[in-house]
Amino acid sequence: MKKKLLLFIGCLLTVAAWGQPKDDDAKYATELLKPGTEVPDFKLKTPEGKTFRLSSLRGKYVVLDFWASWCPDCRKDAPNVQRMYSQFKDRGIAFVGVSFDTDAEAWKRAIGKYGLAYTQVSELKRMKESQTAQDFGVKWIPSMYLIDPEGKVVLGTVLSYKVENKLYELTDKSYRPETEALTIDGSKGKLAAIIQKPLLRQGEKCPMVMLCHGFGGNKEAKLLTLLADSLQANGIASVRFDFNGHGESEGEFQQMTVPNEIEDAKKVYEYVRDLRYVSDVAIVGHSQGGVVTAMTAGELTSENIKAIVLLAPATTLREDAIRGIRPGGSYREEDNPLDPPEYVEVWGRKLGRDYIKTAFTLPIFETAKGYKGPALMIHGTGDRIVPYTCSEHFKEIWPSSDLVVLDAFDHGFTQCLYRVCNDAKEWLIARLRNH
C-alpha cells in the first residue's frame, strides 16, 4: 500500500469542503421574533427630542438596528451598518437605530463619531429595563431585524452580514445578459469559456476582466457569475473560464499544475487582448486562482495588465507542500512529500505528482513583484484555509495596493458573496472605466 502523501490542500479546498461558518444566532438570537411575525410599534425620541413611530415607515423595508455606545461589538459593527445604509438608502430601504444608552450625551457622541446618518431613537433605558427590548426579544446587542413593507419580520439576527445578504437578494437588479460560450486554446487542450460584454456602439471599446476560479472549482462559481453580471451592467466585459482538467475544459485533473494554469491564463489573455472591442485587460482570481492571477500579472507586467483583484489568494500552497500538510492538517514522519507517488486521491479525484513537485519551488511573490499596477486584495479574518496574512504579504510587495479585510468572513466568503462582489466591482470600475 502506497504511503499517503501529506498533502497541502488546506488552501485548495472547494466550497463544499469548507464547512459552514460559525453561526452566533444559535446562541444569541433564540428569543428574537420569528419570520412572519408582525412587529410591535414603538414611539421613541430622537436625539433632537422629536417623537418617531416605527409604523411611520410602513410600506418600506426597514432595517432595525439595536445597539449602544457602551457595547464593544456594537462599536465594531457601527461602520459596517453605516456602510450598508449608504449602499441601500437609495434602493427604498429605511434604517432605524434603537439605542440602549442611558447617557444621552454619550449616545449623541457615538452617533457623531461613527457618522450614523440614519434615524436614531432611544428610551434612554438599559436593555433589561427597556420595553422595546422586551417587545422585540432582544437579549443581546448588536441585534438586527429586517422588516417587510407590511410590518412583518423577514429576518432577525445578531449578524449584520445576514441582513446585508438579504438586502442584496431583495434589491439586486443585475443585468441579466446574453452570454457567448466559446473555447480557447489552453495549455492542455481547449478551455471552455463564457464572455459577457455590454452593448457597444460600432467602434466603441470597453475593458475586459478575466475571472479565474480556484482549485477544484469552475467558471460557474456564484462569486464569478455575480461579478460578471455586475461588471457587464456597468460597461465592462468579462471572460470566465475553466482551467485545464476542470469543468468543461479539456485536460486531465491529474495533469493540472499551477504553472500550466498560468499558461492557460496567458492563452486567455492573448485571446481577449486581440478582440477588437477590448481596450484594457484586468484579472480577478479566487484562492488558487488568486495565485495564478498574481503570477500571470507579474509575468505579463502592468504594461499589459491594467488592474488585478486577489480574493483570498492561496499563497500557502508552496509552504504547505514543503511541510507536507494533508487533509486534516496532520504530519507523519514516514510520509515523504519530496518523493510523491504518481498521484494521490483527493475527494475522489487524482492530484498528480507534478502538481506537488512544482509547488515546492513555485516563486509566487518573486514573480508577482514584476507587476507594478493597481491591485486589490480581499480576505476574511475567519479564513481557516488561507490566513489573511497572505494578502497582507501582497500589500508589502505592492505598497500602493489596496487591502480589504472582512471580519469573520471565511475562505469562500459564504457570509455575503454580494459584499465581496460589490467591493471588487466598485474598485474595478474606478480603475478601468476612466482609463
Side-chain angles (χ1 to χ4, degrees):
M1 181 178 178
K2 291 183 178 179
K3 293 180 180 179
K4 291 183 178 179
L5 176 68
L6 295 172
L7 293 176
F8 45 98
I9 56 177
C11 61
L12 308 176
L13 299 176
T14 57
V15 173
W18 289 334
Q20 295 299 314
K22 180 182 178 183
D23 192 337
D24 286 336
D25 280 346
K27 184 176 182 180
Y28 300 113
T30 57
E31 297 189 41
L32 294 181
L33 303 177
K34 305 304 180 187
T37 304
E38 185 170 352
V39 300
D41 196 9
F42 61 63
K43 184 169 63 173
L44 299 175
K45 295 291 186 179
T46 69
E48 296 77 27
K50 296 181 180 179
T51 300
F52 172 85
R53 295 187 71 105
L54 178 60
S55 57
S56 68
L57 296 175
R58 189 63 61 89
K60 294 184 176 183
Y61 279 99
V62 179
V63 174
L64 206 55
D65 176 35
F66 292 92
W67 72 291
S69 67
W70 47 258
C71 165
D73 288 340
C74 299
R75 295 196 297 268
K76 184 178 180 181
D77 208 31
N80 189 48
V81 181
Q82 173 59 29
R83 179 190 56 77
M84 288 167 56
Y85 166 72
S86 299
Q87 182 74 25
F88 292 102
K89 65 179 180 178
D90 295 329
R91 302 190 195 186
I93 310 296
F95 281 66
V96 178
V98 180
S99 170
F100 295 123
D101 278 282
T102 58
D103 183 333
E105 292 307 312
W107 174 39
K108 294 175 184 178
R109 285 195 299 271
I111 293 171
K113 178 179 179 179
Y114 297 109
L116 304 181
Y118 49 96
T119 301
Q120 296 290 332
V121 295
S122 180
E123 294 174 81
L124 293 178
K125 293 181 179 179
R126 297 192 309 168
M127 183 166 56
K128 291 182 178 180
E129 301 169 351
S130 166
Q131 184 62 47
T132 308
Q134 294 179 33
D135 291 344
F136 282 83
V138 176
K139 303 296 184 182
W140 177 269
I141 52 175
S143 286
M144 299 184 78
Y145 280 101
L146 176 59
I147 303 167
D148 72 14
E150 296 179 353
K152 295 181 179 180
V153 174
V154 176
L155 174 68
T157 180
V158 299
L159 301 166
S160 61
Y161 69 75
K162 286 189 176 183
V163 173
E164 182 172 11
N165 218 29
K166 183 62 69 173
L167 289 176
Y168 274 114
E169 291 174 0
L170 289 170
T171 63
D172 182 31
K173 304 229 181 331
S174 295
Y175 180 57
R176 301 302 176 192
E178 293 184 6
T179 59
E180 177 189 358
L182 67 154
T183 59
I184 299 172
D185 290 332
S187 65
K188 298 292 182 181
K190 298 289 186 180
L191 303 176
I194 294 176
I195 287 181
Q196 295 179 208
K197 68 173 183 176
L199 293 175
L200 300 173
R201 297 184 297 272
Q202 186 173 3
E204 185 181 6
K205 293 188 174 186
C206 70
M208 170 70 75
V209 179
M210 296 167 50
L211 303 175
C212 303
H213 66 74
F215 177 93
N218 61 63
K219 64 183 179 299
E220 299 303 329
K222 186 175 180 180
L223 179 57
L224 301 188
T225 59
L226 284 174
L227 187 53
D229 290 352
S230 189
L231 289 171
Q232 184 175 23
N234 287 276
I236 298 175
S238 68
V239 57
R240 45 193 167 90
F241 59 96
D242 296 327
F243 283 111
N244 71 89
H246 290 75
E248 299 175 312
S249 288
E250 294 179 349
E252 298 296 327
F253 186 81
Q254 186 174 335
Q255 297 179 344
M256 178 271 301
T257 67
V258 173
N260 64 40
E261 285 199 346
I262 293 171
E263 290 306 308
D264 284 344
K266 289 163 72 174
K267 292 283 189 180
V268 173
Y269 166 77
E270 291 171 3
Y271 181 89
V272 297
R273 177 199 60 192
D274 291 337
L275 295 174
R276 66 181 182 278
Y277 61 84
V278 172
S279 55
D280 299 313
V281 179
I283 316 179
V284 176
H286 176 233
S287 193
Q288 179 168 293
V291 171
V292 172
T293 294
M295 295 183 70
T296 300
E299 291 187 13
L300 295 177
T301 77
S302 51
E303 291 296 314
N304 298 297
I305 303 300
K306 298 304 178 184
I308 63 172
V309 178
L310 311 182
L311 307 174
T315 62
T316 54
L317 64 89
R318 179 174 63 180
E319 288 72 20
D320 288 343
I322 295 169
R323 290 181 294 161
I325 295 179
R326 70 161 83 217
S330 62
Y331 179 84
R332 298 190 317 187
E333 290 296 332
E334 65 266 28
D335 289 321
N336 182 11
L338 294 172
D339 184 24
E342 181 182 353
Y343 66 86
V344 290
E345 292 284 345
V346 181
W347 297 295
R349 306 178 78 173
K350 295 178 180 179
L351 187 67
R353 175 193 292 126
D354 286 346
Y355 183 98
I356 299 160
K357 293 179 70 173
T358 56
F360 272 80
T361 56
L362 198 62
I364 299 174
F365 293 108
E366 297 89 338
T367 302
K369 285 181 180 179
Y371 177 74
K372 307 296 183 184
L376 168 68
M377 289 73 69
I378 303 178
H379 218 129
T381 62
D383 190 339
R384 297 183 179 181
I385 309 304
V386 182
Y388 68 90
T389 51
C390 292
S391 286
E392 289 181 330
H393 195 168
F394 278 115
K395 178 66 175 175
E396 292 172 3
I397 69 169
W398 300 321
S400 61
S401 63
D402 297 300
L403 172 62
V404 174
V405 177
L406 300 176
D407 186 48
F409 275 52
D410 61 22
H411 190 61
F413 304 108
T414 60
Q415 286 78 6
C416 189
L417 291 174
Y418 293 96
R419 166 75 189 277
V420 178
C421 172
N422 190 68
D423 285 353
K425 175 201 70 175
E426 294 295 334
W427 187 91
L428 286 165
I429 289 172
R431 282 145 189 86
L432 296 177
R433 288 290 300 274
N434 298 323
H435 200 80

